[in-house]
Amino acid sequence: MSLVVFPFKEESPDLLGKNISAAAAHPAVDEVWAVASSESDVTSAVLEVVETASVSVGTPVDVFPQERIGTFRPGKGDGMNTAIALAADRGFDRVHFYDADITNFDARWIEGAEAAADRGYEVVRHRYPRAATDAMITWMVTRPALAMLFPGSLIPQLGQPLGGEMLLTSKVVGALAEDPFVAARSDWGIDTVLSHATSVLGVPMYEHNLQEGKRHSLYGSLAELRDMVVECLDAARSLRSRARPAPGSVLEKDLPAPAPADLKEIVAYDFDATVALLVEGWTAEETSLAELLPDGIGDLLLQSKSAPNFSFMNADRWGVVLGHLLDGFVLGEPAWEALAFRLWLSRVLAYTTGPALEGYDDAMDYLEATIREYEKNADHHVVR
Ligand code: GDX
Ligand code: MN
């Protein structure tokens, strides 16, 4: 008995309807839920596509707003946790989660996950190639932080610890539903916390590869990612001193496949609009915090008060910065949030104008190599 869940906020009803129908039509799927960010997302257009999908395919489809469960900003985490709590009560054997904005969602996603679950994996995570300048939170915040916090374990091997597409068995859903640390994480931090929580259960995990990539809405200026950056950073920080996976925990993966040609050419964000953000909005408080950055990094960053300066932010300096942020960052404090965001922008721009220009495959190898370096130097970067 499998359930498919789409958390959604302000998505196109047509796309949502198409994805719900694709899920509902799959023979392995017994029920589909669309969990809205609020009542106002459950529009008449959404109700109509849900009704159409349900009637045409004959699989029950339900749409309802998320509950207020967590203690952080009410966001995607509340949506996922609402579904986790209800699904645990209903006793589904398997629960799939998919982002609602995927434009190439089809039966292959469900089949890939179900097939791995049939082979005994209790957590199946979809992974897919992404443009060289996409996934900048994954590559610059979450994977480096997890490498520093859990070196030598399977956690730094997770390809997409922020990915929202996965299958969980009832045993895993039950464990997550009873975990107050997971329930609290109502914001963008949910994916990080779920990646950690599922990795320490001692159940076998699998990464299923979707070669053509996940096609979904991309971004304009990276300002759109500000909340996600600070919330994912805080979520990673919250994992300091939390459990490591038991020795012998298993993570297996499909072999990596070459990325599609068009994806190798995509520029994932608006460069000029993003550079402008480096110079904007400095406050006295942020300046004071920047002055405390180690290794002279504050002086280099503060040059951006007059003109954008970012090429200094190589992988080594970024490792020092991230260690500093994992130590002292405070979510909800404007100066810390502004500083963390500006540092991350500097790192993304330095990478975009440096290693990312070397061609797709070299850029990916470079990024993966940075993660291995952070893992190797974990003791140097962060006090766990
Ligand atoms: N119920 C609910 N409530 N759904 C939400 C909310 C919310 O407050 N906010 C967003 N969503 C839905 C949204 O409609 C979509 O289906 C999904 O959550 C992901 O949001 P999207 O705006 O498409 O985010 P993005 O940037 O594509 O992020 C996804 O990938 C990131 C990553 O891989 O780096 C998403 O799964 C992130 O959690 C992840 O960090
Ligand atoms: Mn998306």
mmCIF file of all heavy atoms in Angstrom, residues 231-263:
data_model
loop_
_atom_site.group_PDB
_atom_site.id
_atom_site.type_symbol
_atom_site.label_atom_id
_atom_site.label_comp_id
_atom_site.label_asym_id
_atom_site.label_seq_id
_atom_site.Cartn_x
_atom_site.Cartn_y
_atom_site.Cartn_z
ATOM 1 N N GLU A 231 18.016 29.091 6.743
ATOM 2 C CA GLU A 231 17.325 28.005 7.448
ATOM 3 C C GLU A 231 18.067 26.673 7.285
ATOM 4 O O GLU A 231 18.143 25.882 8.226
ATOM 5 C CB GLU A 231 15.872 27.911 6.963
ATOM 6 C CG GLU A 231 15.058 29.120 7.420
ATOM 7 C CD GLU A 231 13.637 29.195 6.854
ATOM 8 O OE1 GLU A 231 13.207 28.260 6.134
ATOM 9 O OE2 GLU A 231 12.958 30.206 7.124
ATOM 10 N N CYS A 232 18.632 26.446 6.093
ATOM 11 C CA CYS A 232 19.406 25.209 5.906
ATOM 12 C C CYS A 232 20.706 25.263 6.707
ATOM 13 O O CYS A 232 21.158 24.251 7.244
ATOM 14 C CB CYS A 232 19.685 24.955 4.422
ATOM 15 S SG CYS A 232 18.197 24.478 3.514
ATOM 16 N N LEU A 233 21.306 26.437 6.802
ATOM 17 C CA LEU A 233 22.504 26.585 7.630
ATOM 18 C C LEU A 233 22.173 26.294 9.093
ATOM 19 O O LEU A 233 22.891 25.555 9.773
ATOM 20 C CB LEU A 233 23.068 28.007 7.480
ATOM 21 C CG LEU A 233 24.219 28.381 8.416
ATOM 22 C CD1 LEU A 233 25.440 27.500 8.160
ATOM 23 C CD2 LEU A 233 24.596 29.861 8.242
ATOM 24 N N ASP A 234 21.082 26.868 9.578
ATOM 25 C CA ASP A 234 20.691 26.629 10.969
ATOM 26 C C ASP A 234 20.378 25.150 11.218
ATOM 27 O O ASP A 234 20.723 24.600 12.265
ATOM 28 C CB ASP A 234 19.475 27.489 11.327
ATOM 29 C CG ASP A 234 19.127 27.342 12.802
ATOM 30 O OD1 ASP A 234 19.918 27.815 13.643
ATOM 31 O OD2 ASP A 234 18.095 26.699 13.112
ATOM 32 N N ALA A 235 19.720 24.521 10.246
ATOM 33 C CA ALA A 235 19.393 23.096 10.408
ATOM 34 C C ALA A 235 20.668 22.267 10.494
ATOM 35 O O ALA A 235 20.778 21.362 11.330
ATOM 36 C CB ALA A 235 18.520 22.623 9.243
ATOM 37 N N ALA A 236 21.662 22.588 9.648
ATOM 38 C CA ALA A 236 22.931 21.853 9.711
ATOM 39 C C ALA A 236 23.590 22.096 11.072
ATOM 40 O O ALA A 236 24.068 21.165 11.733
ATOM 41 C CB ALA A 236 23.848 22.300 8.578
ATOM 42 N N ARG A 237 23.576 23.361 11.496
ATOM 43 C CA ARG A 237 24.182 23.713 12.783
ATOM 44 C C ARG A 237 23.520 22.937 13.935
ATOM 45 O O ARG A 237 24.175 22.519 14.885
ATOM 46 C CB ARG A 237 24.012 25.232 12.974
ATOM 47 C CG ARG A 237 24.664 25.766 14.191
ATOM 48 C CD ARG A 237 24.669 27.283 14.236
ATOM 49 N NE ARG A 237 25.549 27.668 15.323
ATOM 50 C CZ ARG A 237 25.136 27.888 16.564
ATOM 51 N NH1 ARG A 237 23.851 27.839 16.856
ATOM 52 N NH2 ARG A 237 26.013 28.169 17.510
ATOM 53 N N SER A 238 22.198 22.752 13.815
ATOM 54 C CA SER A 238 21.460 22.067 14.881
ATOM 55 C C SER A 238 21.856 20.595 15.005
ATOM 56 O O SER A 238 21.509 19.934 15.983
ATOM 57 C CB SER A 238 19.949 22.180 14.631
ATOM 58 O OG SER A 238 19.536 21.292 13.597
ATOM 59 N N LEU A 239 22.576 20.077 14.011
ATOM 60 C CA LEU A 239 22.969 18.661 14.055
ATOM 61 C C LEU A 239 24.288 18.438 14.792
ATOM 62 O O LEU A 239 24.697 17.291 14.994
ATOM 63 C CB LEU A 239 23.085 18.107 12.624
ATOM 64 C CG LEU A 239 21.790 18.107 11.811
ATOM 65 C CD1 LEU A 239 22.057 17.620 10.387
ATOM 66 C CD2 LEU A 239 20.727 17.231 12.476
ATOM 67 N N ARG A 240 24.951 19.525 15.200
ATOM 68 C CA ARG A 240 26.177 19.359 15.983
ATOM 69 C C ARG A 240 25.848 18.510 17.197
ATOM 70 O O ARG A 240 24.835 18.741 17.862
ATOM 71 C CB ARG A 240 26.713 20.715 16.466
ATOM 72 C CG ARG A 240 27.307 21.573 15.361
ATOM 73 C CD ARG A 240 27.645 22.942 15.905
ATOM 74 N NE ARG A 240 26.535 23.437 16.703
ATOM 75 C CZ ARG A 240 26.620 24.393 17.614
ATOM 76 N NH1 ARG A 240 27.760 24.972 17.863
ATOM 77 N NH2 ARG A 240 25.549 24.785 18.274
ATOM 78 N N SER A 241 26.714 17.561 17.489
ATOM 79 C CA SER A 241 26.572 16.684 18.661
ATOM 80 C C SER A 241 25.376 15.739 18.571
ATOM 81 O O SER A 241 25.040 15.073 19.533
ATOM 82 C CB SER A 241 26.522 17.479 19.974
ATOM 83 O OG SER A 241 25.238 18.012 20.174
ATOM 84 N N ARG A 242 24.712 15.665 17.442
ATOM 85 C CA ARG A 242 23.675 14.640 17.307
ATOM 86 C C ARG A 242 24.298 13.329 16.829
ATOM 87 O O ARG A 242 25.453 13.269 16.424
ATOM 88 C CB ARG A 242 22.554 15.107 16.389
ATOM 89 C CG ARG A 242 21.765 16.261 17.043
ATOM 90 C CD ARG A 242 20.431 16.496 16.415
ATOM 91 N NE ARG A 242 19.457 15.426 16.611
ATOM 92 C CZ ARG A 242 18.671 15.297 17.666
ATOM 93 N NH1 ARG A 242 18.750 16.138 18.680
ATOM 94 N NH2 ARG A 242 17.800 14.313 17.726
ATOM 95 N N ALA A 243 23.473 12.264 16.905
ATOM 96 C CA ALA A 243 23.984 10.907 16.674
ATOM 97 C C ALA A 243 24.635 10.748 15.311
ATOM 98 O O ALA A 243 24.237 11.384 14.335
ATOM 99 C CB ALA A 243 22.830 9.918 16.804
ATOM 100 N N ARG A 244 25.650 9.875 15.257
ATOM 101 C CA ARG A 244 26.228 9.439 13.990
ATOM 102 C C ARG A 244 25.548 8.137 13.573
ATOM 103 O O ARG A 244 25.016 7.425 14.413
ATOM 104 C CB ARG A 244 27.726 9.151 14.165
ATOM 105 C CG ARG A 244 28.593 10.394 14.268
ATOM 106 C CD ARG A 244 30.016 9.997 14.646
ATOM 107 N NE ARG A 244 30.649 9.133 13.642
ATOM 108 C CZ ARG A 244 31.312 9.588 12.578
ATOM 109 N NH1 ARG A 244 31.426 10.890 12.382
ATOM 110 N NH2 ARG A 244 31.863 8.762 11.719
ATOM 111 N N PRO A 245 25.561 7.828 12.276
ATOM 112 C CA PRO A 245 25.012 6.538 11.843
ATOM 113 C C PRO A 245 25.766 5.396 12.533
ATOM 114 O O PRO A 245 26.970 5.502 12.748
ATOM 115 C CB PRO A 245 25.285 6.520 10.336
ATOM 116 C CG PRO A 245 25.478 7.941 9.958
ATOM 117 C CD PRO A 245 26.059 8.622 11.152
ATOM 118 N N ALA A 246 25.027 4.330 12.871
ATOM 119 C CA ALA A 246 25.684 3.177 13.482
ATOM 120 C C ALA A 246 26.695 2.607 12.483
ATOM 121 O O ALA A 246 26.462 2.643 11.275
ATOM 122 C CB ALA A 246 24.640 2.121 13.821
ATOM 123 N N PRO A 247 27.826 2.076 13.010
ATOM 124 C CA PRO A 247 28.785 1.444 12.102
ATOM 125 C C PRO A 247 28.080 0.339 11.310
ATOM 126 O O PRO A 247 27.213 -0.348 11.857
ATOM 127 C CB PRO A 247 29.834 0.840 13.055
ATOM 128 C CG PRO A 247 29.653 1.552 14.351
ATOM 129 C CD PRO A 247 28.230 1.999 14.421
ATOM 130 N N GLY A 248 28.438 0.212 10.056
ATOM 131 C CA GLY A 248 27.810 -0.830 9.238
ATOM 132 C C GLY A 248 26.521 -0.387 8.578
ATOM 133 O O GLY A 248 25.904 -1.161 7.849
ATOM 134 N N SER A 249 26.076 0.857 8.827
ATOM 135 C CA SER A 249 24.888 1.359 8.123
ATOM 136 C C SER A 249 25.158 1.376 6.620
ATOM 137 O O SER A 249 26.286 1.622 6.202
ATOM 138 C CB SER A 249 24.559 2.781 8.585
ATOM 139 O OG SER A 249 24.187 2.778 9.941
ATOM 140 N N VAL A 250 24.112 1.134 5.866
ATOM 141 C CA VAL A 250 24.299 0.909 4.424
ATOM 142 C C VAL A 250 23.663 2.006 3.581
ATOM 143 O O VAL A 250 22.500 2.355 3.775
ATOM 144 C CB VAL A 250 23.664 -0.451 4.031
ATOM 145 C CG1 VAL A 250 23.662 -0.615 2.515
ATOM 146 C CG2 VAL A 250 24.400 -1.590 4.698
ATOM 147 N N LEU A 251 24.469 2.574 2.672
ATOM 148 C CA LEU A 251 23.943 3.469 1.636
ATOM 149 C C LEU A 251 24.464 2.964 0.303
ATOM 150 O O LEU A 251 25.674 2.939 0.072
ATOM 151 C CB LEU A 251 24.422 4.908 1.873
ATOM 152 C CG LEU A 251 24.155 5.898 0.726
ATOM 153 C CD1 LEU A 251 22.659 6.145 0.540
ATOM 154 C CD2 LEU A 251 24.875 7.225 0.967
ATOM 155 N N GLU A 252 23.564 2.517 -0.549
ATOM 156 C CA GLU A 252 23.984 2.079 -1.880
ATOM 157 C C GLU A 252 23.374 2.993 -2.931
ATOM 158 O O GLU A 252 22.380 3.673 -2.668
ATOM 159 C CB GLU A 252 23.600 0.611 -2.102
ATOM 160 C CG GLU A 252 24.675 -0.303 -1.540
ATOM 161 C CD GLU A 252 24.203 -1.693 -1.184
ATOM 162 O OE1 GLU A 252 23.123 -2.089 -1.649
ATOM 163 O OE2 GLU A 252 24.935 -2.370 -0.437
ATOM 164 N N LYS A 253 23.998 2.989 -4.118
ATOM 165 C CA LYS A 253 23.598 3.975 -5.132
ATOM 166 C C LYS A 253 23.595 3.352 -6.508
ATOM 167 O O LYS A 253 24.412 2.466 -6.785
ATOM 168 C CB LYS A 253 24.622 5.116 -5.198
ATOM 169 C CG LYS A 253 24.920 5.774 -3.887
ATOM 170 C CD LYS A 253 25.976 6.851 -4.080
ATOM 171 C CE LYS A 253 26.212 7.566 -2.750
ATOM 172 N NZ LYS A 253 26.758 8.878 -2.891
ATOM 173 N N ASP A 254 22.748 3.884 -7.373
ATOM 174 C CA ASP A 254 22.902 3.617 -8.798
ATOM 175 C C ASP A 254 24.245 4.192 -9.235
ATOM 176 O O ASP A 254 24.717 5.183 -8.664
ATOM 177 C CB ASP A 254 21.812 4.342 -9.606
ATOM 178 C CG ASP A 254 20.482 3.624 -9.543
ATOM 179 O OD1 ASP A 254 20.465 2.422 -9.227
ATOM 180 O OD2 ASP A 254 19.457 4.274 -9.808
ATOM 181 N N LEU A 255 24.822 3.588 -10.266
ATOM 182 C CA LEU A 255 26.042 4.176 -10.823
ATOM 183 C C LEU A 255 25.712 5.552 -11.390
ATOM 184 O O LEU A 255 24.635 5.755 -11.947
ATOM 185 C CB LEU A 255 26.570 3.292 -11.951
ATOM 186 C CG LEU A 255 27.134 1.950 -11.499
ATOM 187 C CD1 LEU A 255 27.504 1.101 -12.709
ATOM 188 C CD2 LEU A 255 28.353 2.168 -10.596
ATOM 189 N N PRO A 256 26.634 6.502 -11.257
ATOM 190 C CA PRO A 256 26.352 7.819 -11.839
ATOM 191 C C PRO A 256 26.237 7.704 -13.359
ATOM 192 O O PRO A 256 26.966 6.927 -13.974
ATOM 193 C CB PRO A 256 27.553 8.665 -11.445
ATOM 194 C CG PRO A 256 28.591 7.720 -10.959
ATOM 195 C CD PRO A 256 27.944 6.422 -10.619
ATOM 196 N N ALA A 257 25.315 8.447 -13.934
ATOM 197 C CA ALA A 257 25.143 8.431 -15.391
ATOM 198 C C ALA A 257 25.481 9.817 -15.914
ATOM 199 O O ALA A 257 25.395 10.802 -15.182
ATOM 200 C CB ALA A 257 23.700 8.074 -15.718
ATOM 201 N N PRO A 258 25.876 9.926 -17.180
ATOM 202 C CA PRO A 258 26.205 11.248 -17.716
ATOM 203 C C PRO A 258 24.998 12.184 -17.698
ATOM 204 O O PRO A 258 23.870 11.737 -17.905
ATOM 205 C CB PRO A 258 26.654 10.963 -19.148
ATOM 206 C CG PRO A 258 26.283 9.549 -19.440
ATOM 207 C CD PRO A 258 26.046 8.844 -18.154
ATOM 208 N N ALA A 259 25.251 13.469 -17.459
ATOM 209 C CA ALA A 259 24.166 14.451 -17.423
ATOM 210 C C ALA A 259 23.709 14.768 -18.845
ATOM 211 O O ALA A 259 24.511 14.743 -19.764
ATOM 212 C CB ALA A 259 24.642 15.709 -16.727
ATOM 213 N N PRO A 260 22.423 15.072 -19.028
ATOM 214 C CA PRO A 260 21.938 15.438 -20.356
ATOM 215 C C PRO A 260 22.603 16.723 -20.868
ATOM 216 O O PRO A 260 22.938 17.608 -20.076
ATOM 217 C CB PRO A 260 20.443 15.663 -20.158
ATOM 218 C CG PRO A 260 20.164 15.511 -18.721
ATOM 219 C CD PRO A 260 21.388 15.079 -18.008
ATOM 220 N N ALA A 261 22.772 16.804 -22.197
ATOM 221 C CA ALA A 261 23.534 17.907 -22.788
ATOM 222 C C ALA A 261 22.945 19.278 -22.465
ATOM 223 O O ALA A 261 23.670 20.208 -22.120
ATOM 224 C CB ALA A 261 23.628 17.713 -24.298
ATOM 225 N N ASP A 262 21.633 19.420 -22.536
ATOM 226 C CA ASP A 262 21.043 20.753 -22.326
ATOM 227 C C ASP A 262 21.267 21.233 -20.898
ATOM 228 O O ASP A 262 21.485 22.410 -20.640
ATOM 229 C CB ASP A 262 19.554 20.758 -22.703
ATOM 230 C CG ASP A 262 18.711 19.988 -21.719
ATOM 231 O OD1 ASP A 262 19.109 18.863 -21.352
ATOM 232 O OD2 ASP A 262 17.663 20.511 -21.301
ATOM 233 N N LEU A 263 21.255 20.292 -19.954
ATOM 234 C CA LEU A 263 21.438 20.658 -18.552
ATOM 235 C C LEU A 263 22.841 21.205 -18.291
ATOM 236 O O LEU A 263 23.046 22.077 -17.437
ATOM 237 C CB LEU A 263 21.195 19.413 -17.698
ATOM 238 C CG LEU A 263 20.895 19.670 -16.245
ATOM 239 C CD1 LEU A 263 19.603 18.982 -15.878
ATOM 240 C CD2 LEU A 263 22.009 19.146 -15.375
#
